Amino acid sequence: MNSSIAQNLAQVHAQIQAACQAAGRPPGSVQLLAVSKTWGPDAVRAAHAAGQTAFGENYIQEAVDKIAALRDLPLEWHCIGPIQSNKTRLVAEHFDWVHSIDRLKIAQRLSEQRPEHLPPLQVCIQVNVDGGETKSGVSPSDLPALAQAVAALPRLQLRGLMTIPEPAETDAQMRAVHRQAKVLFEQLRAQGLPLDTLSMGMSADLAAAIAEGSTMVRVGTAIFGKR
């Protein structure tokens, strides 16, 4: 397993580098978040041994158990799945990042429950750029107010936006959706919010997302294999 994960990581990094080159961006401008949901601690250890330090998890209780089992490694944990009110304390106590804030109530609970001895929780707002009916995320019209409110919370640091658009038929259509997210991101920056993170793009749309300004891509299957 170790060698295959290391090989897969090298291939994904090569894809990121090629996409950056095609977009005229420096290769270090895009961070890889390895999505390790449903994979056990051994898979994460193998990825860490190959140089990966940032891991994304969707299922909170599963992630908390994994984080505990891997305390000996210097890892950065990102919550990228939906958060229910009864799970905010677990997220606030165990994660470094949250990508999936889509309403103020959840952000307020995360801020209140973030332990004082930990640095502020780094957060992104999930925005539903293309109006996908099954997708979480705040609507573009409601985004500015939510962003300003989240940015004012004391134990959170608002870093940017996250998107999970519906699959598109063509690369041009996919790029157009990612471009909408980039426009929203720049509008918030113009309003004075010091954002630096656009969590956008997965295995299938990695190149399109990077072409339109993604700073963090979330890749699971291409690294760990099929679940």
Side-chain angles (χ1 to χ4, degrees):
M1 178 174 70
N2 290 25
S3 61
S4 62
I5 287 177
Q7 290 166 357
N8 293 345
L9 270 169
Q11 289 176 347
V12 172
H13 280 295
Q15 289 177 327
I16 292 171
Q17 191 163 356
C20 286
Q21 194 168 2
R25 299 179 56 189
S29 61
V30 180
Q31 182 183 0
L32 173 60
L33 183 64
V35 179
S36 46
K37 66 176 181 182
T38 76
W39 291 94
D42 288 349
V44 175
R45 284 189 185 280
H48 175 262
Q52 181 65 28
T53 56
F55 293 88
E57 293 281 336
N58 290 61
Y59 310 120
I60 291 162
Q61 187 58 59
E62 175 202 324
V64 168
D65 295 342
K66 204 178 299 182
I67 291 166
L70 295 163
R71 284 261 181 244
D72 56 307
L73 298 182
L75 305 179
E76 184 178 87
W77 293 98
H78 296 236
C79 178
I80 59 175
I83 303 172
Q84 298 169 319
S85 295
N86 65 346
K87 292 288 199 304
T88 53
R89 184 173 297 280
L90 283 175
V91 174
E93 290 177 349
H94 293 92
F95 283 86
D96 304 294
W97 281 71
V98 172
H99 292 227
S100 46
I101 287 178
D102 60 1
R103 57 197 191 278
L104 184 57
K105 176 188 173 185
I106 295 299
Q108 288 171 330
R109 288 176 67 90
L110 289 170
S111 180
E112 290 163 5
Q113 294 169 346
R114 181 68 168 174
E116 287 293 330
H117 71 276
L118 294 177
L121 190 60
Q122 309 298 296
V123 302
C124 293
I125 292 174
Q126 183 173 350
V127 56
N128 189 347
V129 277
D130 55 356
E133 292 181 10
T134 62
K135 292 289 191 292
S136 301
V138 65
S139 68
S141 59
D142 291 336
L143 173 63
L146 179 59
Q148 294 290 347
V150 171
L153 292 170
R155 301 291 296 137
L156 306 184
Q157 182 173 354
L158 180 61
R159 297 291 295 271
L161 303 180
M162 186 266 261
T163 64
I164 310 176
E166 299 286 346
E169 291 182 9
T170 68
D171 186 62
Q173 290 172 333
M174 197 78 255
R175 284 190 59 166
V177 174
H178 289 316
R179 198 172 304 129
Q180 292 174 34
K182 175 69 168 175
V183 167
L184 295 170
F185 177 80
E186 293 299 347
Q187 287 173 347
L188 294 177
R189 282 168 54 92
Q191 292 169 18
L193 294 174
L195 308 185
D196 62 5
T197 301
L198 198 48
S199 172
M200 183 168 80
M202 297 180 282
S203 297
D205 59 343
L206 181 148
I210 290 174
E212 297 301 334
S214 172
T215 68
M216 189 181 294
V217 292
R218 308 180 305 273
V219 179
T221 304
I223 296 170
F224 296 106
K226 286 191 165 43
R227 294 177 178 81

